[in-house]
Amino acid sequence: MKTIYLDNAATTKVDLEVVNAMSDVYSNSYGNPSSLHQLGENSKKLLNQSRETIAKEIGAKSDEIIFTSGGTESDNLAIIGYCLSNQKKGKHIITSKIEHPAVLECFKYLSTQGFDVDYIGVDSNGFVSLENLNKLIREDTILISIMHANNEIGVVQDIVRIGNLCKSKNIIFHTDAVQSFTKEHIDVNLQNIDLLSISAHKVHGPKGVGALYVRKGINLTPSQLGGGQEKKIRSGTENLPGIVGFAKATELVNKSDNQKMAKLRDYMLDELSKIESMRINGSRKNRVSNNVHVSFDFVEGESLLLYLDLEGICMSTGSACSSSSLSQSHVLAALGRKPEESHGSLRITLSKYTTKEEIDFTINKIKTTVDKLRLMSPIKNKQDAKKAVSAGDDHHHH
Ligand SMILES: *Cc1c(COP(=O)(O)O)cnc(C)c1O
């Protein structure tokens, strides 16, 4: 059976050209970039070239890029690193209710360290209101962290306006851009971003490597101490094969891939909208090019997922990070969805490899599986029975 991989917000397939570039580093450029011999010098050159590539993609200077072990570490380093280093300026910090756990958990930790945290909500489309954000800002606010594209519902925030607001109030702006990197236009200067987190494995690069953009002049408390690599902010021998793979993956990005994905995304949203009692989660218009997030009443997302898995189709219910717990997705809750409205949710995330044939096959399987599950649903049957029976007849109630 062929695998149809539609879980690209969780991770992506590594591009073969990336594998080859990495393999070459493992076999031939294995010197330590800190070593003074030629092999080390060669590694240092590769490291610097990779840094240049990543920096260019977001409009930064290469000495503003710190390589890390991924999005999680970048978020931790940005948020905890900035707050610990700058707490004399103030101890009030703001984030949103729909952030990735890598951000939310940092704020939770800081709240145990004497920081005062405000969590801004979102409207039913998933947007942070600038007006409400402005109201939360205080004299002692030092950091605002609002993600660019959401990893569950794909909503893209207006980071230009958020960045402007932060700049006008002299507050540092961090954004988790793991889902938007290479998909949305990012320019740290035009968008007034001070700290930005990205990860390689969401863009067809390797797992375990990421980067943090740190605007020149910003001090961070290091996440680990040691040999002083990465401007003493992140010691440890650099993961050169991973870093070269990350840069290669970034170079391979073709803007037309985003247009292709967006077209398939819209087609899929249109087709799935023909199923009754369904809703789209998150703004229809401002969503990242590869994200489809829908809910179907009277079905369990987990059952739907397992039936589709039997057909070789991989996708997610809610968020990959919380699928092991049965509690409602914090993102859908923030949109104002009731738990029973969130049960039957699917997150379908495409990649440049996704074809129209795969999408057609998947749409068809979703339709038939939703029908099948609804026939078995006690709630659906009860509601249908209720509709059929005249008002006032309560024989169907126990
Ligand atoms: C995947 C993801 C992360 C975590 O990145 P890792 O490289 O897996 O640590 C953080 N934020 C968002 C929005 C993500 O999608």
Side-chain angles (χ1 to χ4, degrees):
M1 188 173 55
K2 196 174 158 266
T3 296
I4 297 180
Y5 188 73
L6 297 172
D7 200 14
N8 289 281
T11 195
T12 57
K13 177 179 174 170
V14 182
D15 199 300
L16 193 57
E17 282 191 62
V18 171
V19 175
N20 291 338
M22 290 176 71
S23 174
D24 189 46
V25 178
Y26 277 119
S27 302
N28 303 314
S29 304
Y30 51 84
N32 188 321
S34 298
S35 295
L36 295 177
H37 45 69
Q38 280 186 37
L39 204 56
E41 282 295 325
N42 177 254
S43 292
K44 191 177 196 105
K45 210 173 98 192
L46 288 175
L47 179 63
N48 288 339
Q49 283 170 354
S50 304
R51 209 185 293 285
E52 188 77 42
T53 302
I54 301 291
K56 226 172 92 189
E57 182 68 23
I58 58 171
K61 296 186 204 78
S62 66
D63 63 350
E64 295 174 310
I65 301 296
I66 302 292
F67 285 115
T68 65
S69 66
T72 302
E73 189 190 334
S74 295
D75 285 340
N76 276 256
L77 179 57
I79 298 163
I80 298 176
Y82 183 78
C83 286
L84 294 186
S85 179
N86 294 276
Q87 48 190 318
K88 284 204 187 84
K89 295 177 188 162
K91 294 192 94 170
H92 179 236
I93 51 183
I94 304 172
T95 190
S96 84
K97 288 185 178 167
I98 62 164
E99 298 296 315
H100 188 276
V103 167
L104 287 176
E105 291 296 320
C106 290
F107 278 82
K108 200 166 134 194
Y109 166 73
L110 288 167
S111 72
T112 70
Q113 302 299 305
F115 285 86
D116 206 356
V117 181
D118 268 313
Y119 296 91
I120 188 167
V122 292
D123 65 18
S124 60
N125 284 320
F127 294 115
V128 164
S129 139
L130 218 70
E131 199 187 331
N132 293 345
L133 184 59
N134 198 12
K135 279 187 206 148
L136 287 176
I137 292 174
R138 312 192 314 213
E139 275 293 296
D140 60 340
T141 308
I142 60 166
L143 176 80
I144 294 179
S145 179
I146 307 277
M147 70 199 313
H148 194 190
N150 183 268
N151 50 295
E152 291 189 34
I153 56 175
V155 170
V156 178
Q157 301 294 334
D158 188 349
I159 55 166
V160 177
R161 293 181 64 207
I162 297 171
N164 273 334
L165 176 64
C166 290
K167 194 181 182 192
S168 73
K169 303 269 181 177
N170 225 354
I171 297 165
I172 294 299
F173 175 40
H174 167 253
T175 191
D176 177 333
V178 172
Q179 292 291 341
S180 60
F181 179 64
T182 73
K183 296 193 182 73
E184 292 290 317
H185 179 66
I186 296 175
D187 185 311
V188 290
N189 292 315
L190 284 178
Q191 296 163 335
N192 291 311
I193 297 161
D194 299 303
L195 298 161
L196 175 134
S197 306
I198 51 179
S199 177
H201 78 97
K202 304 285 173 79
V203 294
H204 305 289
K207 289 159 184 68
V209 58
L212 177 66
Y213 159 76
V214 184
R215 181 174 293 284
K216 204 169 260 169
I218 292 180
N219 280 328
L220 302 180
T221 296
S223 56
Q224 47 194 36
L225 305 171
Q229 290 91 344
E230 300 299 292
K231 299 170 82 186
K232 298 200 174 126
I233 292 173
R234 205 270 183 183
S235 282
T237 302
E238 299 86 349
N239 171 9
L240 192 63
I243 290 167
V244 167
F246 189 10
K248 189 67 183 178
T250 304
E251 274 169 15
L252 289 173
V253 171
N254 190 335
K255 299 291 181 243
S256 70
D257 289 336
N258 288 326
Q259 285 158 13
K260 188 190 127 191
M261 285 190 286
K263 218 172 134 190
L264 285 177
R265 170 202 64 190
D266 291 338
Y267 170 69
M268 192 170 209
L269 284 169
D270 286 341
E271 288 301 309
L272 293 179
S273 295
K274 292 175 186 163
I275 299 175
E276 68 170 305
S277 302
M278 72 77 78
R279 65 183 72 79
I280 297 170
N281 298 310
S283 160
R284 173 86 207 240
K285 215 164 134 239
N286 293 307
R287 65 194 303 138
V288 76
S289 56
N290 71 336
N291 180 293
V292 170
H293 199 298
V294 287
S295 299
F296 302 100
D297 289 348
F298 320 113
V299 296
E300 286 291 332
E302 284 79 12
S303 313
L304 195 46
L305 192 83
L306 294 177
Y307 274 105
L308 293 168
D309 191 36
L310 293 175
E311 306 284 348
I313 306 168
C314 309
M315 53 178 72
S316 224
T317 66
S319 161
C321 304
S322 58
S323 61
S324 52
S325 81
L326 283 173
S327 57
Q328 191 195 6
S329 145
H330 67 286
V331 176
L332 296 182
L335 295 183
R337 298 275 192 264
K338 297 191 200 88
E340 62 269 27
E341 292 173 330
S342 305
H343 281 325
S345 299
L346 288 180
R347 180 187 70 180
I348 306 162
T349 45
L350 325 185
S351 80
K352 62 179 177 182
Y353 299 119
T354 307
T355 64
K356 172 87 167 30
E357 289 67 37
E358 289 177 329
I359 291 298
D360 278 327
F361 182 79
T362 303
I363 290 166
N364 190 29
K365 290 297 174 192
I366 291 175
K367 281 181 180 161
T368 53
T369 312
V370 166
D371 282 349
K372 185 157 71 184
L373 290 172
R374 280 180 178 170
L375 279 175
M376 305 190 301
S377 160
I379 312 162
K380 169 92 165 119
N381 292 337
K382 202 169 159 183
Q383 291 211 352
D384 286 350
K386 237 160 112 183
K387 268 188 219 159
V389 171
S390 62
D393 181 348
D394 62 0
H395 285 142
H396 291 273
H397 302 266
H398 298 288

